[in-house]
């Protein structure tokens, strides 16, 4: 969990977190588009899955992450979580959230920590990465940077 915090802070290092649809996002420029790609394959047990989500939620509650977001040129990021397993298994995801203040980060953190796992299967990190990139391509948001942060335990 503590290893996740520096990765998120680093990705943010470049103010209302509400789920956004494509129409709302049109022409929105953010410092960072971030997809948090979470492994839900069969090698990840329920405790490990909860650890991944808890680490993400905790990171978005951290003052260092809030400062990193506020310190960017636009002072805001767009973030979504993608839950993946093998390639043929449909992915799960949150909506996109724009985070510009600690309250926004808390809204996203609550969404993550209450997310219900509905998939499992083999490890298909490639399909997860392709879906993460597709989410960024189709969200209508323009990020000065785009990052996919992958967590998992497969050998891939």
């Amino acid at each position: 969990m503590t290893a996740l915090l520096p990765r998120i802070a680093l990705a943010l290092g470049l103010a209302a977190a509400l789920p956004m649809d494509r129409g709302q996002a049109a022409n929105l420029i953010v410092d960072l588009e971030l997809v948090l790609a979470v492994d839900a394959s069969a090698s990840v047990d329920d405790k490990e899955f909860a650890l991944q989500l808890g680490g993400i939620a905790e990171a978005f509650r951290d003052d260092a992450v809030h400062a990193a977001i506020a310190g960017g040129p636009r002072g805001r990021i767009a973030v979504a979580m993608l839950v993946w397993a093998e390639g043929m298994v449909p992915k799960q995801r949150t909506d996109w959230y724009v985070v510009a203040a600690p309250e926004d980060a808390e809204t996203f953190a609550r969404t993550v920590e209450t997310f219900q796992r509905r998939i499992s299967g083999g490890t298909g990190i490639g399909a997860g990465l392709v879906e993460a990139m597709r989410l960024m391509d189709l969200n209508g948001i323009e990020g000065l940077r785009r990052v996919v942060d992958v967590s998992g335990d497969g050998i891939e």
Side-chain angles (χ1 to χ4, degrees):
M1 184 161 43
T2 33
L4 180 63
L5 183 62
R7 288 191 353 222
I8 289 177
L10 178 63
L12 297 174
L14 307 176
L18 299 172
M20 299 185 67
D21 64 31
R22 188 174 163 80
Q24 289 173 308
N27 300 317
L28 179 65
I29 300 173
V30 297
D31 297 318
L32 174 70
E33 290 173 79
L34 175 63
V35 176
L36 299 164
V38 176
D39 186 355
S41 63
S43 63
V44 175
D45 64 27
D46 289 339
K47 184 177 175 183
E48 292 169 324
F49 186 76
L51 182 64
Q52 290 179 96
L53 300 191
I56 292 168
E58 185 176 321
F60 273 83
R61 291 182 171 118
D62 190 274
D63 290 339
V65 171
H66 301 163
I69 293 169
R74 304 276 181 183
R76 64 181 176 228
I77 67 163
V79 61
M81 184 177 70
L82 173 72
V83 178
W84 58 273
E86 65 186 76
M88 299 309 292
V89 173
K91 314 303 177 260
Q92 288 180 268
R93 69 176 190 89
T94 67
D95 291 321
W96 281 95
Y97 287 77
V98 173
V99 177
E103 301 80 30
D104 305 332
E106 177 60 30
T107 300
F108 180 69
R110 281 195 312 268
T111 297
V112 169
E113 71 189 358
T114 60
F115 195 85
Q116 297 297 308
R117 177 184 188 170
R118 293 187 179 92
I119 63 172
S120 190
T123 303
I125 192 171
L129 289 170
V130 167
E131 181 65 12
M133 291 183 289
R134 189 184 75 74
L135 290 177
M136 288 189 281
D137 286 342
L138 299 177
N139 67 9
I141 299 169
E142 182 182 336
L144 302 178
R145 292 184 57 217
R146 298 170 102 189
V147 173
V148 178
D149 184 275
V150 180
S151 63
D153 70 353
I155 59 172
E156 296 176 325

